[in-house]
Amino acid sequence: MSQLKIYNTLAREKQTFVPMEAGKVGMYVCGMTVYDYCHVGHARMMMAFDLIYRWLMESGYEVKYVRNITDIDDKIIKRAVENGETLSSLVTRFTAYMDEDTAALGILPASFVPRATEHVPGMLSIIEQLEAKGLAYKSDDGDVNYAVRSFPNYGKLSGKSLDDLRAGERVDVNTGKRDPLDFVLWKAAKESEPAEAKWDSKWGRGRPGWHIECSAMACSLLGERFDIHGGGQDLQFPHHENEIAQSEGAFGGPMVNYWIHNGFVRVDNEKMSKSLGNFFTIRDVLKKYDAEVIRFFIARAHYRSPLNYSDVHIDDAKGALTRLYTSLADVDLGTQDAAVDWDEAHAQRFREAMDDDFNTPLAVAELFDLASEVNRTKSAATARQLKALAGVLGLLQRAPQDFLRAGGGQEGQGGLVEAEINELIAARADAKKARNFAEADGIRAQLVADGIILEDKPDGTTNWRRA
């Protein structure tokens, strides 16, 4: 196994990764609340852990990767009621949209994708254990709350003390809590809520709070303690802090060995989010840009760093990815996919980068160094190494001409489609044969104006790509 180091949010430092069981990794990542389309911020989170998942497997680990779906939540209930549809109908539709978006971006399916509503009995069991230990209580309004001050280590993940939290609290309209810092584990049913949002419990009809869902799903599929827990930086507090309080309060001992959090996507120095109204859905972005361009745009930034979203940055990513594909375009790669030669110098540096807290910017830099070598030598072996190494990140796996002719966007988007381009190239060839060079130059100029770059080959054929 590799000498992988991971930045552990809990320890606030990089630590050598040592799995609980040799050769195996259990990883839980907080997934989507499915009531709307996924935006680029969601894509960044799922991509970050897709790259981590891929590298763990490439490193020889057998990975049990769990990414949950939250399918019961205030926002889901509100949206379903507004739409006049059932919760299950809303959830099923947006889960399908999410799956379409992640597949387009090349995000691998997780090993398990549990839904919160499938694990309500497990949630109730944990709440009962917390109540028995004096960490949970039923309030006068029927909710069951977690008694934060009764858990000594609360705040260890976020680094927030109870005094800090108390000073920054807002006025809580829920007067049923004994302490404003307490959080809900079980919500008492409201008369106005649909029947499918209510379950029976010893405390009365109701539904789970958000935080308890992940404690139950993670425990059910990975056990009371597991290797890696991940999610967006915004979940560090209070969601992951509350997960620790629940799971460690119920079971005793550490819940997770390594906590991993990815950075935000930012637009004009503001976090991208639905609440701010500055978000771009994945499917809207994919109407304009090739999915691999978006994947490359996200992958070449370190997962913990902020990611600045703009058309300028994506256009730059498109140009960079085009350069990589262009280096492969004139080399015969053969029909068989080659495996990475990990003894080769670029691959060794690539591994060192990825073993250093999944440093994809340095890993991608090695791809460009390899591409320069391919451009210089036209070596098929070097080109196959480039393609194989990029494949570790889910990149460069298409036929180069397919990508180049798409131009990093959608075919014919504001320009010519392939059939029209081929007709003009044929007309130009005919004009050249007739020695009508003015017409041939005019056709080339017309194509250039439409963003089509021609490359005449020594054998008399002409390749083309979109600018």
Side-chain angles (χ1 to χ4, degrees):
M1 295 297 172
S2 63
Q3 294 299 307
L4 173 62
K5 290 188 176 181
I6 295 175
Y7 184 87
N8 186 350
T9 308
L10 182 62
R12 292 164 182 75
E13 65 178 6
K14 289 182 189 176
Q15 297 179 326
T16 299
F17 177 64
V18 181
M20 294 174 60
E21 183 178 352
K24 296 184 178 182
V25 178
M27 180 169 74
Y28 185 95
V29 173
C30 292
M32 296 299 100
T33 300
V34 281
Y35 71 99
D36 206 342
Y37 296 109
C38 295
H39 59 60
V40 175
H42 299 139
R44 205 280 166 94
M45 180 277 293
M46 290 187 283
M47 185 73 73
F49 290 97
D50 178 71
L51 293 168
I52 289 170
Y53 181 35
R54 286 170 181 265
W55 185 244
L56 290 170
M57 291 191 293
E58 186 67 36
S59 300
Y61 291 108
E62 179 185 330
V63 185
K64 190 175 184 180
Y65 175 23
V66 180
R67 191 182 74 225
N68 78 291
I69 288 175
T70 293
D71 60 347
I72 181 66
D73 173 86
D74 289 344
K75 294 173 183 176
I76 293 173
I77 295 171
K78 182 175 184 292
R79 182 65 58 85
V81 170
E82 288 173 349
N83 291 353
E85 65 180 318
T86 64
L87 274 63
S88 58
S89 171
L90 178 76
V91 164
T92 298
R93 187 168 75 259
F94 281 105
T95 298
Y97 295 150
M98 177 188 70
D99 290 343
E100 290 171 3
D101 292 342
T102 54
L105 292 171
I107 294 170
L108 299 176
S111 312
F112 297 90
V113 186
R115 294 187 177 209
T117 53
E118 300 167 345
H119 290 265
V120 173
M123 300 176 206
L124 292 172
S125 175
I126 293 174
I127 296 171
E128 286 192 29
Q129 292 179 67
L130 292 172
E131 185 181 50
K133 293 183 177 184
L135 292 169
Y137 62 91
K138 183 178 180 180
S139 60
D140 293 340
D141 59 9
D143 289 351
V144 180
N145 298 308
Y146 190 99
V148 165
R149 292 186 184 276
S150 298
F151 182 69
N153 292 321
Y154 193 84
K156 66 179 180 179
L157 180 67
S158 59
K160 298 177 184 290
S161 70
L162 291 178
D163 289 339
D164 292 336
L165 294 169
R166 193 76 172 84
E169 76 187 25
R170 293 178 292 179
V171 175
D172 197 327
V173 297
N174 182 355
T175 56
K177 293 181 180 179
R178 295 175 183 170
D179 188 296
L181 297 181
D182 295 348
F183 60 88
V184 66
L185 298 166
W186 186 256
K187 295 187 175 186
K190 294 184 176 68
E191 191 69 32
S192 59
E193 292 175 342
E196 60 180 324
K198 301 173 185 177
W199 286 262
D200 290 327
S201 80
K202 62 178 284 188
W203 305 282
R205 296 271 283 170
R207 59 186 170 88
W210 175 37
H211 310 298
I212 195 65
E213 296 176 0
C214 288
S215 285
M217 287 183 277
C219 178
S220 173
L221 290 163
L222 297 175
E224 295 177 3
R225 182 176 184 177
F226 52 95
D227 297 298
I228 296 172
H229 194 318
Q233 190 178 354
D234 55 329
L235 298 185
Q236 185 176 337
F237 183 87
H239 184 54
H240 289 163
E241 194 77 71
N242 291 349
E243 279 189 60
I244 290 174
Q246 293 163 164
S247 295
E248 296 187 3
F251 307 130
M255 174 191 183
V256 173
N257 289 347
Y258 302 87
W259 286 88
I260 301 178
H261 294 92
N262 66 275
F264 294 130
V265 175
R266 307 190 72 83
V267 180
D268 296 329
N269 292 319
E270 292 274 6
K271 174 196 165 191
M272 180 181 288
S273 71
K274 288 176 181 164
S275 61
L276 293 174
N278 64 347
F279 68 96
F280 301 87
T281 68
I282 296 172
R283 54 190 47 215
D284 281 346
V285 172
L286 292 182
K287 291 175 183 176
K288 185 173 182 181
Y289 291 100
D290 183 278
E292 192 173 354
V293 169
I294 304 302
R295 183 176 183 87
F296 181 78
F297 165 66
I298 296 173
R300 71 174 181 171
H302 192 278
Y303 78 90
R304 283 193 288 117
S305 67
L307 181 66
N308 295 312
Y309 177 90
S310 72
D311 283 356
V312 170
H313 289 125
I314 298 179
D315 285 336
D316 180 69
K318 180 176 75 171
L321 186 59
T322 297
R323 291 197 298 276
L324 290 177
Y325 266 115
T326 300
S327 72
L328 299 177
D330 293 331
V331 181
D332 183 2
L333 297 170
T335 57
Q336 298 296 320
D337 287 336
V340 176
D341 175 7
W342 288 109
D343 293 326
E344 188 267 335
H346 293 90
Q348 289 179 351
R349 291 191 292 270
F350 183 101
R351 181 181 288 282
E352 289 171 3
M354 292 300 290
D355 277 346
D356 183 15
D357 194 33
F358 315 102
N359 194 330
T360 54
L362 286 183
V364 168
E366 290 304 319
L367 301 183
F368 281 98
D369 283 350
L370 266 174
S372 295
E373 193 170 321
V374 173
N375 288 334
R376 185 175 66 256
T377 66
K378 303 301 180 185
S379 164
T382 306
R384 285 193 289 269
Q385 176 76 337
L386 169 58
K387 181 179 178 181
L389 205 53
V392 174
L393 303 179
L395 299 168
L396 299 188
Q397 297 309 290
R398 294 144 73 178
Q401 289 298 343
D402 289 349
F403 175 84
L404 295 172
R405 291 181 176 183
Q410 300 301 313
E411 183 186 16
Q413 187 181 71
L416 301 172
V417 297
E418 184 169 348
E420 294 171 320
I421 295 166
N422 288 334
E423 286 179 8
L424 287 168
I425 290 174
R428 175 173 174 265
D430 290 342
K432 289 171 71 175
K433 285 178 184 177
R435 305 189 66 80
N436 189 345
F437 298 115
E439 182 180 348
D441 289 345
I443 293 172
R444 175 188 277 273
Q446 178 186 346
L447 287 165
V448 168
D450 274 298
I452 306 302
I453 307 301
L454 301 184
E455 182 182 356
D456 293 324
K457 311 298 291 182
D459 63 2
T461 61
T462 299
N463 285 342
W464 63 270
R465 65 178 177 85
R466 296 186 193 273

